[in-house]
Amino acid sequence: MDKQTFCSSQTTSNTSRYAAALYRQGELHLTPLHGILQLRPSFSYLDKADAKHREREAANEAGDSSQDEAEEDVKQITVRFSRPESEQARQRRVQSYEFLQKKHAEEPWVHLHYYGLRDSRSEHERQYLLCQGSSGVENTELVKSPSEYLVMLMPPSQEEETDKPVAPSNVLSMAQLRTLPLADQIKILMKNVKVMPFANLMSLLGPSIDSVAVLRGIQKVAMLVQGNWVVKSDILYPKDSSSPHSGVPAEVLCRGRDFVMWKFTQNRWVVRKEVAAVTKLCAEDVKDFLEHMAVVRINKGWEFILPYDGEFIKKHPDVVQRQHMLWTGIQAKLEKVYNLVKETMPKKPDGQSGPVGLVSGDQRVQVAKRQAQQNHALLERELQRRKEQLRASSVLPAVRIKEEPVSEEGEEEEERGAEDEQPMDISPGGGLHSRLANGLPAARAAGGDSFNGHPPSGSAGTPVARELRAFVEATFQRQFVLTLSELKRLFNLHLASLPPGHMLFSGISDRMLQDTVLAAGCKQILVPFPPQTAASPDEQKVFALWESGDMSDQHRQVLLEIFSKNYRVRRNMIQSRLTQECGEDLSKQEVDKVLKDCCVSYGGMWYLKGTVQS
């Protein structure tokens, strides 16, 4: 008991919030601490003394009796050699409590000299806790308020902070939802519900929300199907995601789901096997698509989950027309990707406002036969008209250009002696059912002068004609060669980007569009398509910008002259013809530019843009 032992221990691992303070003459001097050790009394030496005392007592008690006893018998012992220690066993041994205690006991002592509180050495060290600067100079670093400085000096401990409980990802709190911006509210609701009528969406958002703003926001995240809103595919399947069932990338999933949505714009019923056969996706992915927007009916297929909303269709015709344009663009893309067979669906009477009914296989065969007969007659008349124009052409004998093209519908009107124009068929294929079941009025889709409502095509000074010509000129400045089908598709996309009620929504006919193209300095190139071509009549009408005012006009005109006689051409033939017409100094860059502007390469041959048939 003649000595006392103090053992140090680390009080805390985070010492950045602690400082040593010394108050002197009205000033508080703070010194940051980088480590804190606390000395506590240790009585381990008393335990060792007790153990030695017990050992001595045991030895004294057994000393007398052991002298008389004979020596103990010799015992056999077994010697074992330790096995090589593995890395995992060594790590477990190093992390064990016994090993740490052993290392602690083996740590050597550091001998220090203790100075008392009043010692001169202690006084000298204490002076380092005082700021050595002049007291009259202000510290420019202390520019914060006392409360802010106190928070910096004593930051809240991360261990003491408690996070607010987070709701599960599949639980949507309406109270938290209404604190978000309107666009985020609509997106979250549509992503969770998938399919919703507009009236239900307005009731969930609250009575104080403007319906015009909701209409503007819902069109960014959903598409109109049978008068109801269905969330867009890219909202459910982001860009970098994939299918949990098959691992198919999001782009393929979006395309397959868009096909299902488009089928529901055509019909109340969809067959899952038909969808799987077209999209080539697994059954689980197709089932997910259908479960988002339909319910299964025994021996019938999948029916759209909500009834046809005719009230919304009548109340918002501009939105319906805009959505129809978007579906037309999606339809054209799907036909190209999936190689869909173009077929005309039977139209419903004008007085019937419900969705399209189910069409049997026999009806489809009859419709296909009638369409084939009509197309054959149209092609015969088109061929006869081209022959007459070739015989009558005298201005440009080397280039077969039709100066005033007339659509098939317009020719039929001329044969009947009618003066009115036919409306433009806004479907790129020109053969699919023109009345979508998402609510496009039958009068608009079926055609008629009431839908067009524009003055005759000769009235070039009207605002509609000027707006249309501006679109055509801007389009051909970007793309020098376009088919009528591609031009109509671009025009539909342009309409979809316009605000509701724009003047171009009054209706543009095929005749008016083609006349505007010719008036804008373009010419129609009669490309000699193969006899067995699969191109539609609109795809066989090729228009090209004849003069743009740049140095490439002559090169482009020579190239168009070549393609007026050949469907496809090799590069060496183009190179030699351009060199013959434009001179020997024609560079490779100039040839590449005119080919890039007007042509595409496929299988080692060059085609005019839009005319290649894979």
Side-chain angles (χ1 to χ4, degrees):
M1 300 297 294
D2 58 347
K3 63 179 179 179
Q4 187 176 5
T5 303
F6 290 90
C7 184
S8 63
S9 63
Q10 189 174 5
T11 57
T12 178
S13 59
N14 183 16
T15 59
S16 61
R17 57 184 297 182
Y18 294 97
L22 188 63
Y23 186 77
R24 178 172 294 185
Q25 297 179 0
E27 296 177 347
L28 182 65
H29 299 259
L30 299 176
T31 303
L33 300 179
H34 300 286
I36 302 176
L37 294 178
Q38 183 178 11
L39 293 176
R40 294 181 179 180
S42 176
F43 302 99
S44 59
Y45 61 94
L46 296 178
D47 297 335
K48 294 180 180 179
D50 291 341
K52 293 180 179 179
H53 180 69
R54 285 194 295 269
E55 290 177 0
R56 285 196 298 267
E57 289 183 352
N60 293 333
E61 291 178 357
D64 298 337
S65 60
S66 60
Q67 294 178 0
D68 300 336
E69 295 177 358
E71 293 184 358
E72 295 182 358
D73 296 336
V74 179
K75 295 182 179 179
Q76 182 180 2
I77 61 174
T78 302
V79 179
R80 295 181 179 177
F81 296 94
S82 61
R83 298 179 180 177
E85 188 178 24
S86 63
E87 182 64 24
Q88 294 181 352
R90 191 189 68 81
Q91 291 181 359
R92 288 195 299 269
R93 180 176 61 82
V94 169
Q95 296 176 359
S96 63
Y97 176 75
E98 291 80 7
F99 182 82
L100 294 178
Q101 287 295 104
K102 182 180 179 182
K103 294 289 290 183
H104 182 71
E106 293 176 353
E107 183 180 353
W109 286 93
V110 178
H111 298 280
L112 300 176
H113 185 75
Y114 175 74
Y115 296 94
L117 182 62
R118 303 300 178 182
D119 193 272
S120 61
R121 183 62 181 271
S122 298
E123 288 291 342
H124 178 73
E125 293 290 336
R126 196 177 296 115
Q127 293 299 320
Y128 287 111
L129 299 179
L130 298 175
C131 181
Q132 302 300 322
S134 175
S135 60
V137 180
E138 295 183 357
N139 193 346
T140 57
E141 296 181 359
L142 301 178
V143 295
K144 296 185 178 296
S145 63
S147 59
E148 293 175 340
Y149 179 71
L150 185 60
V151 172
M152 293 175 59
L153 185 63
M154 296 285 293
S157 176
Q158 297 181 357
E159 299 176 356
E160 297 176 359
E161 294 179 354
T162 56
D163 297 334
K164 296 181 179 180
V166 180
S169 59
N170 59 344
V171 176
L172 188 64
S173 171
M174 294 301 297
Q176 295 180 358
L177 179 69
R178 290 179 179 175
T179 61
L180 301 176
L182 179 61
D184 294 338
Q185 294 185 43
I186 297 174
K187 182 177 180 180
I188 292 174
L189 285 173
M190 291 305 303
K191 189 174 181 179
N192 282 269
V193 182
K194 310 272 189 319
V195 184
M196 190 186 306
F198 185 75
N200 291 11
L201 179 62
M202 290 298 300
S203 63
L204 289 174
L205 294 175
S208 61
I209 304 299
D210 184 16
S211 61
V212 177
V214 177
L215 276 175
R216 191 180 300 112
I218 189 64
Q219 296 183 65
K220 298 179 180 179
V221 298
M223 297 291 292
L224 192 65
V225 178
Q226 300 188 20
N228 302 282
W229 292 99
V230 182
V231 64
K232 289 184 177 180
S233 301
D234 55 358
I235 301 296
L236 296 180
Y237 303 106
K239 186 175 181 181
D240 297 329
S241 62
S242 59
S243 169
H245 306 293
S246 59
V248 173
E251 181 182 0
V252 181
L253 292 177
C254 291
R255 193 160 54 228
R257 188 174 181 274
D258 287 344
F259 176 74
V260 175
M261 294 170 62
W262 174 76
K263 291 291 289 183
F264 277 119
T265 64
Q266 307 293 310
N267 207 320
R268 285 287 298 177
W269 301 86
V270 169
V271 180
R272 188 175 69 172
K273 291 184 178 179
E274 180 183 352
V275 175
V278 173
T279 61
K280 303 297 188 296
L281 294 173
C282 68
E284 291 79 6
D285 289 334
V286 176
K287 186 177 180 182
D288 286 347
F289 299 157
L290 293 171
E291 288 178 345
H292 290 169
M293 63 192 82
V295 291
V296 63
R297 305 295 185 191
I298 300 176
N299 296 330
K300 290 186 177 181
W302 291 78
E303 184 184 11
F304 193 69
I305 194 170
L306 294 178
Y308 183 82
D309 192 353
E311 181 178 356
F312 179 84
I313 301 303
K314 297 177 182 178
K315 192 174 180 180
H316 303 281
D318 292 340
V319 177
V320 173
Q321 175 71 11
R322 183 186 182 92
Q323 289 291 309
H324 175 68
M325 299 299 177
L326 292 176
W327 274 121
T328 302
I330 295 175
Q331 172 184 323
K333 190 180 299 183
L334 293 174
E335 287 177 353
K336 187 175 182 180
V337 172
Y338 293 131
N339 296 324
L340 300 180
V341 178
K342 301 175 183 178
E343 56 186 17
T344 303
M345 305 290 288
K347 297 180 179 180
K348 303 182 73 172
D350 294 342
Q352 188 173 355
S353 60
V356 181
L358 198 63
V359 180
S360 64
D362 294 336
Q363 290 175 329
R364 294 188 179 188
V365 172
Q366 296 298 327
V367 169
K369 289 182 178 179
R370 288 196 299 269
Q371 181 185 3
Q373 295 173 358
Q374 294 173 0
N375 290 341
H376 180 72
L378 291 176
L379 290 175
E380 288 289 341
R381 289 196 296 270
E382 177 70 17
L383 180 61
Q384 185 65 26
R385 185 171 69 249
R386 288 188 180 186
K387 291 180 179 179
E388 293 175 358
Q389 288 179 350
L390 286 176
R391 287 193 296 267
S393 176
S394 60
V395 179
L396 291 175
V399 182
R400 290 182 290 173
I401 298 174
K402 184 167 60 174
E403 295 292 338
E404 294 183 1
V406 181
S407 63
E408 289 79 12
E409 293 84 357
E411 182 177 335
E412 292 175 1
E413 289 292 326
E414 292 175 356
E415 292 175 357
R416 291 195 297 267
E419 297 180 356
D420 297 334
E421 298 178 357
Q422 286 287 340
M424 180 179 69
D425 181 13
I426 59 177
S427 63
L432 288 171
H433 183 237
S434 60
R435 182 187 183 275
L436 291 182
N438 63 358
L440 184 67
R444 293 191 174 188
D449 296 334
S450 62
F451 170 59
N452 287 320
H454 58 77
S457 58
S459 303
T462 62
V464 175
R466 289 195 298 269
E467 188 75 17
L468 181 60
R469 177 159 182 169
F471 161 76
V472 170
E473 291 177 348
T475 302
F476 275 94
Q477 286 294 333
R478 294 191 303 268
Q479 305 183 38
F480 293 94
V481 177
L482 286 173
T483 63
L484 180 59
S485 175
E486 179 66 13
L487 181 61
K488 288 160 64 176
R489 187 187 71 84
L490 295 176
F491 182 66
N492 289 332
L493 295 178
H494 177 66
L495 287 180
S497 65
L498 297 177
H502 195 272
M503 63 178 68
L504 288 181
F505 282 108
S506 60
I508 304 298
S509 66
D510 279 357
R511 172 74 67 81
M512 186 175 183
L513 183 62
Q514 294 179 69
D515 290 346
T516 305
V517 171
L518 296 176
C522 301
K523 292 186 179 181
Q524 183 175 0
I525 309 302
L526 297 180
V527 179
F529 282 83
Q532 303 298 330
T533 180
S536 64
D538 284 349
E539 293 173 343
Q540 296 184 31
K541 293 181 180 180
V542 183
F543 295 92
L545 182 61
W546 195 251
E547 294 182 356
S548 62
D550 57 8
M551 299 298 295
S552 302
D553 285 347
Q554 183 183 4
H555 306 159
R556 187 165 53 253
Q557 292 172 9
V558 173
L559 183 68
L560 295 176
E561 180 182 350
I562 295 174
F563 280 101
S564 67
K565 300 178 181 179
N566 303 275
Y567 173 63
R568 56 183 182 179
V569 187
R570 294 190 179 275
R571 181 187 173 94
N572 55 3
M573 177 181 177
I574 299 175
Q575 181 86 31
S576 61
R577 183 65 180 275
L578 287 173
T579 303
Q580 178 183 355
E581 297 290 338
C582 303
E584 297 290 342
D585 57 346
L586 189 66
S587 63
K588 181 178 181 297
Q589 289 76 12
E590 293 175 329
V591 177
D592 292 340
K593 181 181 183 304
V594 71
L595 287 176
K596 181 180 178 182
D597 291 342
C598 304
C599 304
V600 292
S601 177
Y602 183 79
M605 304 294 289
W606 288 88
Y607 303 78
L608 275 184
K609 286 185 177 180
T611 62
V612 60
Q613 301 293 322
S614 58

